[in-house]
Amino acid sequence: MSVPLYRLGVDVGGTFTDLLLLREDTGETWRAKVPSTPEDQSLAVIRGKDQVLSNIPNGADVILHVVNHGTTVATNVILEQKGAKVALVVTEGYKDILQTRRSQVPGNLASWIIWPKPELLAPLELTVEAPGRLATDGTEVRKFDEVIFEERFRPIAKEKPDAVTISLINSFANPVHEEAAKRVVAKLLPDTSVSISSEVLPELMEYERTITTVVNSYVEPSVRHYLGNLLQSLERKAQHLRILRSDGGLSSVSLASRFPVTWVLSGPAGGVSGVVSVVADQTKFKNLITLDMGGTSTDVALIENGVPRIRRETKVADLIVKAPSIDVRTVGAGGGSIAKVPEVTKALRVGPESAGAIPGPACYGKGGSTATVTDANAVLGYLPRSLLGGTFDLDLNAAKKAVQQVADDLGIGLYEAAEGILKVSNETMYGALRLVSVEQGYDPRDFSLVAFGGAGPLHANSLGKLLGAFPVIIPPSPGVLCAFGDAMTLLQHEVGKTFIRILQQTDKRDTLDAFDGLLEQVRAVMHDEQGVPEKKQLHKFQADLRYSGQAINISVDVQLESLRKLGLPYLQELFEAEHDKLFTYRLSSNVELVNLRVIAEELKYDLPIKELEQATSVIPPDSSISSKTTLVFGGNEFADSPIWNRLSLKNGHAVLGPCIISEMDSNTVVLPGFRAEIDAVGNVLIHEVRDKQGYEVPAGKELDTVTVDIFENALRNARNEMDTLMTKTTMSPAIREQQDEFNVIAEPTGKMVAGQLGSFIGGFLDVWKDTIEPGDIFLTNDPYSVSGAISHHNDWLILMPIHVKEELIAWTANMGHMTDVGGSVPGSLPCAASSIFEEGIQIPVTKVASRGVWNEDLMEVIYRNVRLPDWNRGDVRALVAACTIAGKRMVELYTRFGITVYFAAIDELLDRNRKAVSSIINTSIADEPAYFEDWIDDDGQGVGPWKIACTMSKKDGRLNFDFSGTDPQSPSSINFYLNVNMFKMFVGVYLLVVYDSSVVANDGFHDLIDVFIPEGSLLRPIRPAAVSCRTHLLARLMDVLSALLGQKSPQFMTAAGFSDSPHFMYSGYRQTGEWFQLYWIGFGGIPGRPIGDGPDGHCLWPAMKAIPNEFLELYYPLRIEVFNTVADSGGPGLYRGGNAQRIFWRFLEDGEISIHDDRWLTKPWGVLSGEPGARSTKVLVKYSEDPENPPREALGSKQDRIKVSTGDVLEWITWGGGGWGDPLKRDPEVVALEVRRRLVTARGARRYGVVLHEDCKVDVQGTASLREEMRSVSSRETESEEVFNRGGSWEELRASCLEETGLPAPIPPWEVNLRGSMTQLQWFKEWKAKHSHEVERHG
């Protein structure tokens, strides 16, 4: 008789460690749940192993065949910030690659005011720059000098880092420099682990590759120690230990130790694997959507034909790393999610904040007093009086008290509030479920919903009803399903390589050879390091492709035999079919191969699962009822609802809702009108009952508070879908990478109900007097056609009416910045334009599609007038697709809620925003008027400064913004047609984000804000005034708004830092005759804020981010030799302004550049004794003329068609943010740390009154003396200090201009003879007369 083999699945969670023992020949299982041991997770694993083995004969003597382990060790290291002390080696000129990230601030407009930037995993004081440089094709530009590098690294070695990351520019193309650096590090730190990016992630995009490799280093020592302890504890107790990866496969301990970044999401992967094993492999249901709901969050994923979808990135907290993982999306909705009602909006919010394990939900009786989702479930009777097999009693009175507080805040009843909490929580999860289904091109009605985790089965029936995904399936022991998945999973490994080339120009043989090389590598790893013979390996082949110009990669599974037979058109069809499925369209553009990949899996072998005993009747006996309760659903009470004991239910049993099916680790709610059946392997299958026998709860036809909150969540999700599609599919880097696109969802009259910059629809409806029919599509890019709702010709606006049966129910619109629209200069943003006729094609409001039929001839005329027609075609298709998707969502809402509730919810959301803004105005904005003025330095033609002036006043609960005093429109192109609704939205979002950042902003508050802008001024130019260089006024306006609000409410008082939005264009012909054209947006220092320092080299515009430099070098003839921040450029303050960016562009082809910039003369002001940030500078270094001693030319801030030659370098330094508060109050130790981090120099530290020793330690006595001396300076003794520190008056700045900037001071606009339509306006005549008198007086 053979000895039975056992395998153990282990899943370590934050509170409990779950274990499942499986006997391989019979399928029998035994389960255990033990408290986790965070100090050393292996202790709980061993304790649980011993406990579960005690259930079988001679368990203590059993040697386990295999232990498959899903663990949160790596995840917890990141979340708890308890990882290794990591040193980072980067390419010379890139020391701040982690500091600037991709320059992105998450959130909406004004989120930068409240966003706390996370600490770096590899600190700057442990970052060293390596000499040497590779080109994008892997060739060597500068040799790697090992002697110099060793000298630079020795001080880092003395700091004894726990781990080292090496990530060099373009190492994806050639690892030679990284390998050389690794040899030096190994020499100096022989016992320290080293991760190199060319091994961890040999793919394009420098930040993503660096952060991924840093995460690998950060967690590696901890996981190596953990796995070592576990192996030692399992010695002679188990034959094999394997670790579950994020992609659902298993890894050997040796591979898991070297590449722990591949299993940072090991925990969620186990649950999805369990669903595959218990449901997909054992039943007819192969298409599944999974829902894993725990205490703090919910994870969702999609399984198609029994295979989970994989994505190529993993998100943990704020970190996104490029490692393959099951496509699990996580939302902050769990049993412990806290319900609250913000005072300003009176909206019900649930999560993401959680009560955690301590104090936990109120009903746990551990001191919690705030209402949670679990409390709501308890109040409604969805939980039995005791949990965990009767060992844990619930405090129902505490739950009712907590939920009653929410009810009181909302002005509703207890049960209504409890149901509202569940509905809002369900809507959050519903949004996530749509992310993995609808947004990926799948209809959830073609899938079944599988729920597990401690809380998932409580919400499964409701979510299945929302999705239409039936049957809803609850696997056996859903609380330990992850452990079951771990037990059933098999070994896996993958290798890949970057393989960038145009598909139509690629040789099929090269592609097949590349796959063969990868196949050889993966076979060797599986055999040598995983112990899997080649005959027991299954190999899958994948390619990542995209349309040339896109940034998103779409992975497709490749059959090598089909590739050999059909050639590369086979790959093209695979890609285009998937693109069409995901985004609803195809393009005529070239297709580009990006990456190739081979995945090896251990051949699956059948492991039996023990089936349940067959029931003799459909209805289970009464003995299966453990107790009865009263359930509340839809405002109705269902008394004597049974609580079924799941363990007593057999195959074939069926129960009707309302009821609860209870087991030790979970409870399943079956709603009225639904039926739950038990299948052969113990799954609960919930179906809708056709004959509901009086159980149907009528759908609500009247509006309530909770419905409004659900509607708001749905609008947020719809808008997010629009953003996602745009950033994934567009061609123009400004849209795709820098996310210069803004969308709107509006009600029929044009009021925005979701969006960002206010409604574009009102301006359209004011001018469009023709028919509006279903299927119509409108296009415009003309600012003068829509009252400035779009502000220059590069912004193309698509508008779509949304109808249901010929009734207009909504509008969707999306605006995106096109790289080119024709005109006098490439990029269509001429600095020297004198009218809009030089700025490219003008498209007045035009119907380009009528009842779904496009006017193709008209579109071709439009595309004929731009330099990059394929890009514009692709971007228009993306704009239309985004509007179409949002339109579908509005139709779904209309259908779901009905006409009455649909429009009532919209009205209520508009009114809610109005009440919120009204409350803020009345309680937080002082009555006294506030005035502020700021300037654009010049107009590119030697004239400036140009003033924006605004007075903010409050009367009768309304704010008024009067821009009287703003200078006249410029004869150049710096004018900005400020749309009144857009400015109102700026004001409203600034007010709301501080008080309730989760609110969906809309136009409801617009009547509370009045705006006056003089016609003919800079902010309301008269056609045909040029507007192509309007970006500086747009950004400066945000500084003005901060200054106005900040004078009256300290929550908004920030220094200056929006300041500018620098644009850079580079174009010409390559020597091959191919045209190239780059449009790039730069960023600078975010100002000091009430919450702390301004981040360095970041963007204040919502969601914008930097284009990866490796991407730029791959597609354009340039090399970015320096990309870091500038020490001391941020204004000193209690909270320092963010430092500027330094970018050195080396041009590899002759061409022309254009520059849009400002703040080269004025400085971003500091506030509350904070000092101003540094100016921007642009210098062209002409190496083409003299390689040894190149001439240096200071460039103006706004110039077109600057000739550059091969080898020349543009040195561009952006602005620094202003400082906030007195720098003499800044902690000296923080200043010293920033000196070590090279964010502040030792000399710059003295601006904070800090004196340092040579070792960068604080000289305490010297610091005290210097600060006392600085405080005694007369400027600091004045009783009434200036709020704003501009670094000097205009007269002083002009006087020192040439000496400090190398450029002559601009001529004031009143000293030139301005011409234009505005000259006949009375206010202009008064402005001119006033300044004429001043000139005479000073003359």
Side-chain angles (χ1 to χ4, degrees):
M1 183 175 176
S2 61
V3 177
L5 296 178
Y6 294 91
R7 57 175 52 213
L8 182 67
V10 181
D11 178 67
V12 178
T15 305
F16 291 103
T17 293
D18 299 319
L19 301 97
L20 183 135
L21 182 68
L22 173 70
R23 179 167 166 167
E24 296 186 5
D25 58 340
T26 65
E28 292 176 278
T29 59
W30 297 265
R31 297 166 176 81
K33 182 183 284 284
V34 298
S36 294
T37 49
E39 69 280 5
D40 183 353
Q41 291 188 5
S42 65
L43 298 177
V45 174
I46 299 304
R47 190 175 302 143
K49 172 191 72 74
D50 293 341
Q51 180 175 318
V52 76
L53 285 175
S54 68
N55 295 314
I56 62 174
N58 303 314
D61 299 325
V62 167
I63 297 177
L64 297 167
H65 175 214
V66 64
V67 176
N68 293 343
H69 184 16
T71 173
T72 58
V73 169
T75 313
N76 292 345
V77 167
I78 297 170
L79 294 177
E80 298 168 8
Q81 299 182 14
K82 295 180 179 179
K85 179 180 177 182
V86 179
L88 174 62
V89 178
V90 297
T91 297
E92 206 165 49
Y94 280 79
K95 73 175 178 67
D96 294 310
I97 191 168
L98 294 186
Q99 182 76 359
T100 57
R101 308 193 327 161
R102 289 276 298 279
S103 297
Q104 185 181 33
V105 173
N108 296 320
L109 186 71
S111 291
W112 61 271
I113 298 174
I114 60 172
W115 176 64
K117 188 183 174 190
E119 281 293 314
L120 305 185
L121 298 187
L124 278 170
E125 63 268 30
L126 293 180
T127 299
V128 62
E129 299 175 62
R133 185 64 150 85
L134 296 173
T136 189
D137 62 357
T139 58
E140 196 169 55
V141 177
R142 294 193 306 273
K143 290 186 178 296
F144 180 84
D145 191 317
E146 294 195 15
V147 175
I148 293 176
F149 176 64
E150 182 173 338
E151 181 180 338
R152 292 179 180 177
F153 193 79
R154 281 189 181 279
I156 302 296
K158 291 179 180 178
E159 297 294 325
K160 297 181 180 179
D162 302 317
V164 178
T165 286
I166 301 171
S167 183
L168 305 180
I169 293 295
N170 292 323
S171 61
F172 72 90
N174 186 348
V176 61
H177 283 187
E178 287 193 349
E179 291 169 349
K182 183 177 182 179
R183 289 193 294 271
V184 174
V185 172
K187 172 184 173 183
L188 298 177
L189 295 170
D191 298 322
T192 302
S193 66
V194 181
S195 299
I196 66 175
S197 74
S198 52
E199 287 185 356
V200 174
L201 183 69
E203 294 182 9
L204 183 80
M205 296 172 64
E206 68 280 1
Y207 170 74
E208 285 77 3
R209 191 171 64 254
T210 301
I211 189 62
T212 299
T213 312
V214 166
V215 168
N216 198 73
S217 293
Y218 186 74
V219 301
E220 194 270 346
S222 295
V223 301
R224 186 181 292 275
H225 174 74
Y226 170 71
L227 292 177
N229 284 350
L230 186 56
L231 270 176
Q232 185 175 358
S233 300
L234 290 172
E235 191 173 356
R236 293 189 295 276
K237 298 293 183 181
Q239 298 177 29
H240 305 285
L241 172 63
R242 297 167 176 173
I243 306 302
L244 185 68
R245 296 157 40 112
S246 303
D247 60 7
L250 292 171
S251 180
S252 66
V253 170
S254 64
L255 280 177
S257 299
R258 284 191 1 240
F259 301 111
V261 73
T262 62
W263 46 284
V264 293
L265 283 185
S266 171
V272 180
S273 298
V275 170
V276 171
S277 300
V278 178
V279 181
D281 289 348
Q282 303 295 326
T283 73
K284 64 181 181 181
F285 304 109
K286 309 298 181 186
N287 291 340
L288 308 166
I289 300 174
T290 68
L291 176 88
D292 180 2
M293 185 178 181
T296 60
S297 62
T298 296
D299 299 321
V300 301
L302 183 138
I303 298 168
E304 182 182 23
N305 293 324
V307 179
R309 279 184 64 87
I310 301 294
R311 61 174 171 168
R312 310 309 302 176
E313 63 183 28
T314 299
K315 183 174 182 180
V316 181
D318 285 334
L319 292 174
I320 297 178
V321 297
K322 297 279 284 186
S325 68
I326 291 176
D327 188 8
V328 173
R329 307 299 175 95
T330 302
V331 291
S337 293
I338 293 173
K340 56 189 177 297
V341 182
E343 180 64 31
V344 68
T345 55
K346 287 296 182 181
L348 175 58
R349 307 290 186 212
V350 182
E353 298 84 1
S354 173
I358 301 295
C363 63
Y364 282 8
K366 296 181 180 180
S369 59
T370 55
T372 67
V373 172
T374 298
D375 294 313
N377 276 305
V379 167
L380 296 171
Y382 298 173
L383 290 171
R385 291 300 183 98
S386 60
L387 304 178
L388 299 178
T391 63
F392 186 81
D393 293 332
L394 296 181
D395 186 342
L396 186 57
N397 289 331
K400 288 182 176 179
K401 182 178 179 181
V403 175
Q404 186 63 54
Q405 182 60 56
V406 173
D408 293 345
D409 290 343
L410 291 171
I412 59 179
L414 173 67
Y415 291 147
E416 187 179 357
E419 287 202 87
I421 291 169
L422 297 192
K423 287 178 180 178
V424 172
S425 177
N426 286 344
E427 194 68 25
T428 300
M429 291 183 279
Y430 178 51
L433 291 163
R434 292 176 66 92
L435 273 178
V436 298
S437 56
V438 176
E439 281 197 31
Q440 307 302 320
Y442 297 98
D443 186 338
R445 292 171 298 183
D446 297 331
F447 290 73
S448 296
L449 179 66
V450 184
F452 53 99
L458 285 167
H459 297 254
N461 198 162
S462 295
L463 287 165
K465 186 176 179 182
L466 284 173
L467 278 174
F470 288 104
V472 172
I473 303 173
I474 314 298
S477 298
V480 297
L481 185 69
C482 291
F484 191 96
D486 296 341
M488 303 291 286
T489 306
L490 303 169
L491 287 164
Q492 181 174 308
H493 188 68
E494 72 170 54
V495 296
K497 66 179 296 184
T498 297
F499 193 77
I500 299 175
R501 55 205 69 195
I502 299 297
L503 188 63
Q504 291 84 348
Q505 301 169 9
T506 301
D507 188 291
K508 177 180 72 174
R509 189 67 258 164
D510 290 345
T511 308
L512 289 168
D513 288 346
F515 271 129
D516 287 343
L518 294 172
L519 178 60
E520 186 176 340
Q521 292 179 46
V522 79
R523 279 173 173 166
V525 172
M526 284 291 283
H527 181 273
D528 298 343
E529 298 197 54
Q530 306 263 56
V532 181
E534 186 177 324
K535 65 181 180 180
K536 291 189 177 182
Q537 298 179 26
L538 175 67
H539 303 106
K540 297 179 181 179
F541 303 86
Q542 290 182 345
D544 296 345
L545 302 100
R546 61 188 175 205
Y547 285 117
S548 185
Q550 288 181 330
I552 183 177
N553 299 331
I554 294 179
S555 296
V556 297
D557 291 323
V558 179
Q559 301 297 325
L560 284 195
E561 195 53 45
S562 297
L563 178 58
R564 291 189 184 96
K565 181 179 178 181
L566 303 174
L568 296 173
Y570 162 71
L571 290 183
Q572 180 165 342
E573 176 54 29
L574 286 176
F575 161 74
E576 294 200 299
E578 187 67 14
H579 192 281
D580 192 30
K581 174 182 169 184
L582 289 171
F583 308 119
T584 73
Y585 66 93
R586 301 186 183 204
L587 295 173
S588 58
S589 304
N590 285 332
V591 175
E592 190 173 51
L593 260 174
V594 183
N595 299 307
L596 301 179
R597 187 178 305 110
V598 179
I599 302 169
E601 298 175 351
E602 185 181 9
L603 279 177
K604 182 176 287 190
Y605 44 91
D606 291 333
L607 289 171
I609 293 180
K610 190 172 183 179
E611 295 189 353
L612 296 185
E613 180 184 345
Q614 180 67 45
T616 57
S617 66
V618 172
I619 301 174
D622 289 346
S623 60
S624 297
I625 298 175
S626 58
S627 62
K628 292 190 176 182
T629 187
T630 298
L631 299 180
V632 180
F633 179 74
N636 299 308
E637 295 186 33
F638 296 87
D640 294 325
S641 296
I643 300 178
W644 298 96
N645 180 359
R646 183 168 182 175
L647 289 179
S648 67
L649 298 179
K650 300 177 182 180
N651 178 17
H653 273 153
V655 297
L656 286 174
C659 68
I660 298 172
I661 300 175
S662 184
E663 54 194 308
M664 184 191 76
D665 55 0
S666 191
N667 294 276
T668 299
V669 172
V670 184
L671 298 176
F674 291 85
R675 168 190 175 102
E677 302 172 355
I678 311 300
D679 73 3
V681 292
N683 293 306
V684 175
L685 310 179
I686 300 175
H687 298 269
E688 195 166 11
V689 179
R690 294 186 179 180
D691 178 9
K692 300 190 177 182
Q693 302 175 357
Y695 284 122
E696 174 71 357
V697 177
K701 296 299 182 183
E702 295 182 0
L703 189 68
D704 58 65
T705 300
V706 173
T707 299
V708 177
D709 297 325
I710 292 171
F711 202 95
E712 183 183 48
N713 271 336
L715 289 173
R716 182 186 293 110
N717 291 336
R719 196 196 136 202
N720 289 342
E721 280 193 73
M722 297 178 79
D723 284 332
T724 300
L725 186 144
M726 291 297 294
T727 56
K728 284 183 175 181
T729 63
T730 46
M731 300 294 189
S732 294
I735 304 175
R736 185 190 63 233
E737 296 291 342
Q738 303 191 301
Q739 298 185 27
D740 190 355
E741 58 89 21
F742 300 97
N743 51 48
V744 164
I745 301 173
E747 49 80 67
T749 68
K751 291 180 181 177
M752 186 184 82
V753 294
Q756 197 152 164
L757 296 187
S759 179
F760 310 118
I761 316 297
F764 159 76
L765 291 175
D766 288 342
V767 300
W768 184 260
K769 303 306 178 185
D770 205 342
T771 59
I772 297 172
E773 300 175 293
D776 288 353
I777 300 174
F778 300 88
L779 169 66
T780 184
N781 75 336
D782 180 13
Y784 293 103
S785 288
V786 286
S787 305
I790 50 177
S791 56
H792 62 176
H793 291 166
N794 290 73
D795 290 341
W796 285 21
L797 173 63
I798 289 287
L799 306 102
M800 292 179 58
I802 307 303
H803 292 80
V804 173
K805 297 180 180 178
E806 303 291 322
E807 179 186 2
L808 180 66
I809 67 160
W811 284 91
T812 60
N814 216 351
M815 178 197 75
H817 182 109
M818 304 291 157
T819 295
D820 190 276
V821 295
S824 60
V825 299
S828 314
L829 298 171
C831 298
S834 58
S835 75
I836 57 171
F837 301 111
E838 301 165 63
E839 299 176 354
I841 186 170
Q842 299 175 55
I843 311 171
V845 176
T846 304
K847 185 184 289 190
V848 293
S850 180
R851 283 196 167 267
V853 179
W854 278 84
N855 188 335
E856 298 290 355
D857 292 339
L858 174 60
M859 293 306 299
E860 284 308 309
V861 170
I862 293 172
Y863 296 141
R864 186 76 171 178
N865 282 273
V866 305
R867 292 178 177 86
L868 299 168
D870 283 346
W871 282 24
N872 292 58
R873 282 191 188 94
D875 292 345
V876 167
R877 293 298 300 272
L879 287 166
V880 171
C883 290
T884 301
I885 281 179
K888 288 181 179 178
R889 302 299 169 253
M890 296 307 289
V891 171
E892 289 169 3
L893 283 173
Y894 183 92
T895 304
R896 176 178 170 189
F897 290 104
I899 183 173
T900 302
V901 171
Y902 173 87
F903 284 113
I906 288 175
D907 290 342
E908 177 61 27
L909 285 172
L910 291 167
D911 188 56
R912 177 183 285 179
N913 264 228
R914 187 185 189 280
K915 289 176 180 176
V917 171
S918 177
S919 173
I920 297 170
I921 291 173
N922 287 321
T923 60
S924 301
I925 305 297
D927 290 335
E928 299 78 15
Y931 173 81
F932 194 75
E933 59 186 37
D934 211 337
W935 298 271
I936 299 297
D937 292 349
D938 73 315
D939 63 358
Q941 308 306 304
V943 180
W946 297 85
K947 182 172 72 174
I948 311 176
C950 188
T951 300
M952 181 183 75
S953 59
K954 186 174 91 169
K955 184 178 181 181
D956 299 329
R958 301 165 61 87
L959 287 181
N960 180 68
F961 294 84
D962 186 345
F963 285 91
S964 297
T966 297
D967 280 346
Q969 68 187 52
S970 167
S972 185
S973 57
I974 61 169
N975 304 295
F976 170 43
Y977 194 148
L978 175 59
N979 178 262
V980 169
N981 282 345
M982 180 186 294
F983 183 72
K984 289 181 178 182
M985 183 55 59
F986 289 166
V987 176
V989 170
Y990 262 63
L991 295 176
L992 289 168
V993 76
V994 170
Y995 290 95
D996 186 359
S997 60
S998 62
V999 73
V1000 176
N1002 62 46
D1003 288 355
F1005 59 84
H1006 281 197
D1007 68 307
L1008 299 174
I1009 299 172
D1010 297 316
V1011 182
F1012 174 73
I1013 306 170
E1015 184 183 21
S1017 68
L1018 286 168
L1019 298 178
R1020 195 180 170 193
I1022 300 171
R1023 191 177 190 274
V1027 293
S1028 54
C1029 200
R1030 99 295 186 233
T1031 183
H1032 315 294
L1033 275 171
L1034 171 58
R1036 195 60 43 81
L1037 189 69
M1038 307 310 293
D1039 278 341
V1040 171
L1041 181 57
S1042 294
L1044 289 169
L1045 294 174
Q1047 290 179 61
K1048 299 304 172 188
S1049 187
Q1051 297 95 325
F1052 305 103
M1053 176 56 80
T1054 71
F1058 246 103
S1059 303
D1060 194 14
S1061 181
H1063 292 7
F1064 169 66
M1065 280 73 75
Y1066 171 42
S1067 61
Y1069 285 97
R1070 299 177 187 264
Q1071 293 183 29
T1072 59
E1074 180 186 2
W1075 174 258
F1076 65 87
Q1077 184 175 329
L1078 169 67
Y1079 167 68
W1080 173 91
I1081 302 175
F1083 312 116
I1086 286 182
R1089 312 160 288 166
I1091 70 161
D1093 293 351
D1096 306 302
H1098 272 61
C1099 178
L1100 290 88
W1101 288 109
M1104 280 192 176
K1105 57 184 176 182
I1107 303 172
N1109 290 339
E1110 289 180 344
F1111 183 93
L1112 293 174
E1113 293 189 10
L1114 178 67
Y1115 290 101
Y1116 299 96
L1118 53 80
R1119 189 161 54 247
I1120 301 168
E1121 299 191 334
V1122 174
F1123 194 82
N1124 56 24
T1125 64
V1126 182
D1128 295 338
S1129 56
L1134 171 63
Y1135 298 132
R1136 175 176 65 80
N1139 280 335
Q1141 278 189 317
R1142 179 192 286 114
I1143 310 104
F1144 286 6
W1145 305 83
R1146 183 176 292 276
F1147 304 111
L1148 305 182
E1149 294 275 11
D1150 294 355
E1152 293 180 341
I1153 63 172
S1154 295
I1155 288 174
H1156 286 217
D1157 194 19
D1158 207 68
R1159 288 295 195 200
W1160 64 274
L1161 178 54
T1162 61
K1163 301 174 182 179
W1165 30 266
V1167 296
L1168 305 176
S1169 299
E1171 296 186 16
R1175 298 166 167 141
S1176 68
T1177 64
K1178 287 79 54 188
V1179 176
L1180 182 60
V1181 187
K1182 298 184 176 180
Y1183 286 96
S1184 60
E1185 295 184 11
D1186 186 345
E1188 299 301 323
N1189 297 292
R1192 297 175 62 85
E1193 177 186 352
L1195 300 179
S1197 67
K1198 303 165 188 70
Q1199 289 186 242
D1200 293 328
R1201 295 192 177 278
I1202 304 166
K1203 300 289 185 183
V1204 295
S1205 300
T1206 302
D1208 289 349
V1209 172
L1210 174 64
E1211 298 180 354
W1212 190 328
I1213 294 176
T1214 64
W1215 73 96
W1220 189 98
D1222 187 351
L1224 299 186
K1225 295 179 180 179
R1226 189 169 175 86
D1227 185 345
E1229 293 297 337
V1230 172
V1231 176
L1233 177 61
E1234 293 207 318
V1235 172
R1236 294 195 294 276
R1237 291 179 169 176
R1238 291 161 287 173
L1239 298 171
V1240 175
T1241 65
R1243 183 175 180 180
R1246 299 183 68 86
R1247 297 172 68 189
Y1248 299 86
V1250 175
V1251 180
L1252 302 176
H1253 296 296
E1254 289 187 3
D1255 61 357
C1256 284
K1257 299 290 180 62
V1258 176
D1259 180 341
V1260 177
Q1261 185 174 352
T1263 294
S1265 299
L1266 178 58
R1267 286 190 163 181
E1268 182 63 31
E1269 178 185 339
M1270 294 174 71
R1271 288 191 181 98
S1272 68
V1273 176
S1274 58
S1275 64
R1276 296 188 181 276
E1277 290 179 339
T1278 56
E1279 293 183 5
S1280 57
E1281 296 180 345
E1282 290 289 332
V1283 175
F1284 304 98
N1285 182 352
R1286 300 180 186 271
S1289 67
W1290 252 110
E1291 291 74 16
E1292 292 169 331
L1293 294 174
R1294 285 174 54 81
S1296 60
C1297 178
L1298 183 61
E1299 178 184 354
E1300 293 181 359
T1301 70
L1303 298 169
I1307 301 170
W1310 53 85
E1311 294 186 14
V1312 298
N1313 188 15
L1314 298 179
R1315 296 293 182 92
S1317 304
M1318 78 289 185
T1319 58
Q1320 301 308 304
L1321 298 173
Q1322 183 61 34
W1323 78 266
F1324 175 84
K1325 295 175 181 178
E1326 295 172 357
W1327 174 88
K1328 187 173 182 180
K1330 172 188 174 184
H1331 286 292
S1332 296
H1333 293 319
E1334 290 181 359
V1335 171
E1336 291 174 3
R1337 189 167 63 251
H1338 291 92

